[in-house]
Every structure is written in C-alpha cells, then in structure tokens.
Amino acid sequence: MRYSLTAGPAVSMGTSILIFGGARLAQRPKLDDVAARVGLSPASVSLVLRNAPGPSAETRRRVLAAAADLGYRPDRTASLLARRRRHLLGVLMDVANAFHAEVVSNVHIAAEELGYDVVLSTVTATRDEQRAVATLLDFRCEAVILLGPVASAARLAALAREVPVVAIGRRVSAPGVSVVRAADDRGVALAVDHLVGLGHRSIAFLDGGRGTIAADRRRGYRAAMRRHRLSEHEWILPGDHTEAAGSRAVGMLSAEPRAATAVAASNDRSAVGLLDGLARAGVDVPAGLSVVGYDDSVLARLAHIDLTSVSQDGRRQAEEAVAAAVARLDDGDVRVREIVLAPRLVVRGSTGPAPTRS
C-alpha cells in the first residue's frame, strides 16, 4: 500500500524549511535568466554563484548584481536531489494545531544541528493526511516524522516499508514505526488529581473524539475518577480537538441538571473554546467552573487565557523524534523505538477551589 498524490503540490521554498500547501507560486528566476542578463554562459554564471575559481572579480560583481536584481536564488531542490544523500526529513503537521507548530519549530532546530533540512507538509480542511504524506514521498524525503497521525497501523506499516517513520504523540504498534509520545493517560490523571486536590468531585471530561490519542486521554480520565472513588460523577462530554467543541460543551453543561464544578479538556484548543463560551455565558472561571487543558500550547500561556494545562514537553518529543530518524539514516540503527515521556501539569489561573453550592 502506497500513499498516492491526487494533485500536484505547489512548493514554497525557504532557506532550510520547505513548506507544501495548496497555492501555486509565480515562476522563479532561473540560472539562464541571470546568464542572459550579463551576457555570459550559464556555466560561467554557475561558477560565480558556487564561488568556484576562474571568473574575474569584475565578472563576479556583474553576476551577483544581476542575480540580486532578478531575485535569483539557487535551485536548492535540484542540488539536494543530485546528492547521493539528500539529508531531508519530511514532517507532517496539522496546520490548525498550535502545539504542532511548536513541535515543528523544535524539529527544525534539532534537524539543523544534525545536518538535516526539513520538508513540511500540512493537513488542512481541504488537504488530508494521505495527500500530505504523498507529497513528502514525492519529494524523496529520507525519513518522515508524523505529528499525531490518524492513519491506521496497517497504512503506517506500509509507509515504513518505503521510508523510516517516526510518529509523534500517538501510541501505535506497527512494524517499522518508531514512536515518541507522552503518557497521555497519566497526563489526564494529573489534571484530575489536581482538581480533586482543590475539592472538586463533579469533574467532567471534554472528549477528543475518535483516534488513539483521544482514547488514551479518555481512559486516563476514567481510571483517575475510579481511583478517587468518583465513578458516579463521571461525565464525558462528546467533542473533538477544536475550539467549536469547547463552545458546544457550554450548552451541554448548562442543560444538564447535575452541576459540574470542573472540566478537564482533551486538548488546549477545545479548552480555549470552552473558556470563550463560558465568558459569553457570564460564567466566571475559576470561581464558577475550573478548566484544565492538555498540551500547554502557546494559547494556554497567553495572559488573558492563563490556562492550567498538561505539558507534553514538545521540545523533547521533537529532539527524540529527529534523533530516532537520524540514527536510522546515519548509523543504520534499524531498531523500532517507543519513547514515552512523563507529562507534567502547569498550574495557572483557570483552576481554583471547588465552589460551595447548595
């Protein structure tokens, strides 16, 4: 089974991050254009641009001036593909996920330190995971790092037969696929423990919907509630990992006769949607309802949001994922790894003591 591309990708190239999206770019100036501008052969212009010996100082000055005037940049893709080793790591991310953006930033740093460049392919509302992964394969990446992939284990195993694969954030058992993730069930348990310590008993969980990551977090909530002997207060609000899910949860909370005093959300995006909905409904946080998110994303750290959240340590996940991919490529280390990191709770202003209710 191979990931197939149904439409040709448009490419935006930076100095060392290559980003694939849906828009076509204007045609970039070519080496021949620079050569025509200065009246030299493309071979002579190439010598100047590669800083090779031969051309005079005046020729170099003219070529560099023409290149700057035309906005010419060397075709890095061609030079990369001409090498026996391309030193390209493909990275898949959800463009709407703030936590993914932070992880990708750290992947880039870790990759650069080890002499690799990054090709970034995004999942959007109109561009699914299969197409995004196909782009990475078509660009001949040597290994791929997938952030929160939703593909089946069988599909990931098929992908691993083509290139080394590292999955970040998701528990998966597939031949050839290495995993770097946080212990999500333990992370949600930390949130429940924190709320129970503040006196909360009626703690709802805003679910993340389908998928392994959401299932692990849901399981962590249930196990923690049982451990605190609060099973009778379990309340799972249907949702997903979007802000809209949090907004919808406000209506569910107000319509239910039982009154939750706290909500643990499956991720920060849904928690932020919940906070927004509560503010619109005139519910004070945390005096009226405590809220905990998951990811400790940049959203959680904003002063006006100030969200208590579970940190997955995105920087460490990125470093471990890059190290696993590079070990396979540079050292021939074919071991499949599963690195499970311990999450931690970051307490901010969205949680407080349980309110006294008559």
Side-chain angles (χ1 to χ4, degrees):
M1 183 182 299
R2 188 186 191 279
Y3 282 80
S4 61
L5 185 63
T6 56
V11 182
S12 169
M13 182 178 295
T15 53
S16 57
I17 287 190
L18 311 174
I19 303 177
F20 293 86
R24 292 188 175 277
L25 301 180
Q27 186 171 351
R28 58 190 292 167
K30 299 179 180 178
L31 185 71
D32 289 346
D33 298 324
V34 180
R37 173 68 67 93
V38 294
L40 296 171
S41 69
S44 296
V45 170
S46 178
L47 288 175
V48 173
L49 297 176
R50 290 186 288 111
N51 199 28
S56 67
E58 175 60 18
T59 297
R60 292 181 187 279
R61 184 193 66 75
R62 290 173 55 215
V63 169
L64 294 175
D69 186 51
L70 290 170
Y72 171 79
R73 295 180 60 226
D75 189 346
R76 188 165 172 79
T77 36
S79 62
L80 284 168
L81 294 174
R83 300 176 190 169
R84 184 179 298 249
R85 286 289 312 281
R86 293 172 297 282
H87 287 82
L88 288 179
L89 298 179
V91 178
L92 170 83
M93 68 167 288
D94 181 346
V95 73
N97 191 313
F99 178 68
H100 283 193
E102 292 186 64
V103 174
V104 166
S105 179
N106 285 293
V107 164
H108 174 56
I109 293 169
E112 191 174 59
E113 289 177 351
L114 294 174
Y116 280 78
D117 287 332
V118 170
V119 175
L120 179 62
S121 191
T122 57
V123 175
T124 70
T126 58
R127 193 166 187 267
D128 64 16
E129 183 176 293
Q130 181 173 339
R131 181 179 174 191
V133 171
T135 298
L136 300 177
L137 295 180
D138 287 351
F139 206 73
R140 298 175 62 197
C141 294
E142 291 188 284
V144 294
I145 297 173
L146 311 177
L147 275 64
V150 300
S152 66
R155 188 176 288 277
L156 292 175
L159 177 61
R161 290 194 288 271
E162 298 190 51
V163 290
V165 176
V166 182
I168 291 182
R170 172 187 164 186
R171 174 178 52 82
V172 59
S173 179
V177 179
S178 291
V179 172
V180 180
R181 65 179 179 88
D184 284 326
D185 53 345
R186 289 163 54 192
V188 174
L190 289 175
V192 173
D193 292 348
H194 169 65
L195 293 169
V196 170
L198 291 171
H200 295 275
R201 293 176 59 79
S202 184
I203 303 167
F205 179 69
L206 179 50
D207 195 38
R210 301 174 59 184
T212 305
I213 296 172
D216 285 350
R217 295 178 186 179
R218 188 184 315 121
R219 186 179 67 251
Y221 164 75
R222 285 175 167 151
M225 292 293 280
R226 286 196 301 270
R227 177 162 48 82
H228 287 290
R229 299 183 179 179
L230 296 174
S231 296
E232 65 200 62
H233 296 287
E234 283 184 26
W235 185 9
I236 296 179
L237 303 169
D240 53 45
H241 282 157
T242 66
E243 292 84 353
S247 297
R248 290 193 298 269
V250 176
M252 300 178 212
L253 290 166
S254 60
E256 181 68 29
R258 54 179 165 172
T261 62
V263 176
S266 191
N267 79 338
D268 283 352
R269 288 181 63 192
S270 59
V272 168
L274 176 61
L275 291 175
D276 180 69
L278 292 170
R280 294 172 187 273
V283 178
D284 184 68
V285 175
L289 189 79
S290 286
V291 178
V292 182
Y294 198 112
D295 285 337
D296 190 31
S297 65
V298 64
L299 292 173
R301 298 174 222 142
L302 294 174
H304 67 286
I305 293 180
D306 202 27
L307 176 66
T308 295
S309 185
V310 178
S311 171
Q312 300 189 63
D313 197 347
R315 181 186 62 80
R316 174 89 183 279
Q317 288 193 53
E319 291 172 348
E320 294 285 2
V322 170
V326 171
R328 175 78 175 272
L329 297 172
D330 289 358
D331 304 330
D333 186 350
V334 297
R335 290 177 297 170
V336 173
R337 309 173 183 204
E338 182 177 35
I339 299 168
V340 183
L341 306 179
R344 63 186 179 87
L345 185 72
V346 181
V347 178
R348 298 190 178 92
S350 67
T351 52
T356 302
R357 292 178 176 168
S358 56

